[in-house]
Amino acid sequence: MNTVFSILENRNPGMIWKLALSIMVLIVFFQIMLGRNFDMAPIYIFPIVLSCWYGTKKSGVALSILSVLVIVVLELYVSGLSVFSFAILAHGAPYLIAYPLFAMLLVNFRNVHQFEALAADTDSLTGVHSSRSFYSELANELIRAKRYSHEFSLAYIDVDNFKNVNDSFGHAVGDQLLREVAKCLVSSLRSTDIVARLGGDEYACLLPETEQHAAKAAFSKAIKCLDNKMKMHGWLVSFSVGVATFENFPEEIDEVMDFADQLMYSVKNENKNNISYEVYTSKL
């Protein structure tokens, strides 16, 4: 679901710069209209925040310095004082120190925040989406599917006999196997599909706007890649997969996950090494 913040995040820095400048022009206009009755200098912090958080470091710092110059020029305009007067210097100096410093600190905080958000959304072992990120993507897809009435598919994948590889070859080889599974899934599916490691040896794949026939074709390709990769390394594992297609939709994402999970376990509880496909039917 789009919010003001997500829209701003998807805009290029040039657009953010223009928006911040437009806000600054509005502030200047109101300052001229109001004269000295109202000091709008602190309000310049808003376009500075906008430029620092959604733009670039250079644009944020440049806008902070430009804001100080505008503040000084407007003070000269409304007061009629000399540019070299002590009052003008005293008025502008605190902003000259505070605004650029604030801009640099905010950009640094943004960079740390983005790094931590990326780390939380990425599985550290495989580089695919984490379970947290996957649930967020699934929630958004469920909202879109309901709004626009388009289907989607969800695959739940479990590596059969993974424990045997860990016990026989060690955890380093087990980790390598998990990375190879992630690589196969990512390379076999579309760039718009979401691949996630949910934990242990379980993966999930979200295929937006994908009906059952297309999901079957996609996972036929993915399983071939997985089987070939496992045989190449001599790893005696297979895959139990449940692929659920949703043409009508549950109310909650937990029901979406449970339905695909049950399909996967129906394979695992029988002979393993297979794929179960089913279209979700809403409960009356």
Side-chain angles (χ1 to χ4, degrees):
M1 183 171 59
N2 284 336
T3 64
V4 172
F5 303 110
S6 63
I7 292 172
L8 289 172
E9 285 174 356
N10 293 326
R11 292 293 180 267
N12 63 61
M15 182 66 72
I16 297 298
W17 172 253
K18 291 176 183 176
L19 179 59
L21 284 178
S22 299
I23 295 172
M24 181 180 288
V25 170
L26 283 175
I27 297 172
V28 170
F29 172 77
F30 283 111
Q31 182 69 81
I32 293 172
M33 295 294 293
L34 295 171
R36 303 198 73 185
N37 296 323
F38 188 78
D39 184 11
M40 300 193 72
I43 300 178
Y44 287 92
I45 203 72
F46 291 106
I48 292 172
V49 168
L50 177 67
S51 188
C52 288
W53 196 262
Y54 297 105
T56 65
K57 181 176 182 178
K58 287 182 179 179
S59 66
V61 174
L63 194 70
S64 68
I65 295 172
L66 179 61
S67 297
V68 175
L69 293 175
V70 170
I71 289 169
V72 171
V73 170
L74 283 176
E75 182 66 15
L76 288 169
Y77 175 79
V78 297
S79 68
L81 295 173
S82 167
V83 68
F84 297 109
S85 69
F86 178 77
I88 291 298
L89 295 175
H91 182 74
Y95 294 110
L96 184 59
I97 296 170
Y99 278 6
L101 180 60
F102 172 77
M104 289 186 285
L105 290 174
L106 183 59
V107 169
N108 289 336
F109 177 75
R110 179 201 68 183
N111 292 340
V112 171
H113 170 78
Q114 288 177 341
F115 176 80
E116 291 180 346
L118 180 62
D121 288 343
T122 304
D123 178 61
S124 59
L125 177 63
T126 62
V128 296
H129 287 261
S130 65
S131 59
R132 171 184 129 157
S133 174
F134 184 80
Y135 275 91
S136 176
E137 294 286 351
L138 178 58
N140 288 333
E141 181 59 25
L142 185 58
I143 291 171
R144 286 192 295 267
K146 289 178 179 179
R147 179 179 297 174
Y148 302 111
S149 299
H150 65 66
E151 63 275 288
F152 68 90
S153 293
L154 172 67
Y156 208 115
I157 304 149
D158 183 86
V159 183
D160 304 322
N161 306 317
F162 174 70
K163 185 176 182 298
N164 294 342
V165 173
N166 265 343
D167 293 343
S168 301
F169 301 103
H171 289 284
V173 173
D175 289 348
Q176 184 186 356
L177 185 153
L178 295 174
R179 285 191 289 267
E180 293 293 346
V181 171
K183 288 178 184 177
C184 274
L185 292 173
V186 171
S187 64
S188 300
L189 301 177
R190 303 168 302 184
S191 60
T192 53
D193 298 330
I194 306 297
V195 177
R197 178 174 171 242
L198 301 181
D201 59 353
E202 292 187 343
Y203 295 79
C205 302
L206 175 62
L207 287 67
E209 301 186 40
T210 304
E211 41 81 30
Q212 189 180 61
H213 179 75
K216 286 183 177 180
F219 269 87
S220 175
K221 178 182 177 183
I223 287 297
K224 285 180 182 178
C225 177
L226 289 168
D227 287 343
N228 290 338
K229 188 67 70 173
M230 299 304 110
K231 289 176 182 176
M232 184 180 76
H233 287 282
W235 296 327
L236 300 179
V237 299
S238 58
F239 300 90
S240 297
V241 184
V243 180
T245 298
F246 296 85
E247 297 175 353
N248 46 62
F249 314 107
E251 290 301 315
E252 304 293 337
I253 61 172
D254 287 342
E255 191 173 348
V256 175
M257 292 297 294
D258 287 344
F259 186 71
D261 187 36
Q262 289 168 16
L263 286 179
M264 183 273 288
Y265 272 105
S266 71
V267 174
K268 201 165 186 68
N269 292 333
E270 292 182 6
N271 297 320
K272 302 181 180 180
N273 192 27
N274 204 351
I275 307 177
S276 176
Y277 298 96
E278 190 169 331
V279 175
Y280 173 83
T281 302
S282 59
K283 297 176 181 179
L284 299 179

